[in-house]
Amino acid sequence: MKNIFADLGLDQSDELMTRAQLLHGVGILIKASKLSEQKVAKRLGITQPKVSLLVSGSLSAFSADTLIHYLSLLGYHV
């Protein structure tokens, strides 16, 4: 897979790409669950505005470890 972050010459491009892929996976699982953002927030132990950031793809708001944790809480085995 092409790393757009490396193409842009950004520092830590591999980390950014990994986080982007994890965030994309979390977003897909949230949308596929068809749960409200409130219910997803409860499942993840976060606020609804944080769920909104996940769904909208706010990369800077989440670390890779946090995204991996959310994936596991959503039933994805990492």
Side-chain angles (χ1 to χ4, degrees):
M1 177 176 275
K2 190 167 176 79
N3 186 335
I4 186 71
F5 302 107
D7 291 348
L8 293 171
L10 297 176
D11 291 336
Q12 301 177 337
S13 60
D14 289 338
E15 166 73 13
L16 290 168
M17 186 64 179
T18 298
R19 285 178 32 220
Q21 291 170 328
L22 292 168
L23 182 60
H24 179 70
V26 170
I28 287 173
L29 289 174
I30 289 171
K31 290 174 187 171
S33 75
K34 299 189 182 193
L35 296 173
S36 70
E37 286 190 2
Q38 291 284 6
K39 288 183 180 178
V40 171
K42 186 173 182 176
R43 180 176 286 180
L44 298 181
I46 59 177
T47 64
Q48 179 276 322
K50 280 278 202 183
V51 174
S52 186
L53 289 173
L54 285 168
V55 173
S56 67
S58 181
L59 188 59
S60 63
F62 306 97
S63 69
D65 288 340
T66 299
L67 292 168
I68 290 168
H69 178 68
Y70 294 162
L71 283 168
S72 69
L73 291 174
L74 291 168
Y76 187 82
H77 299 286
V78 182

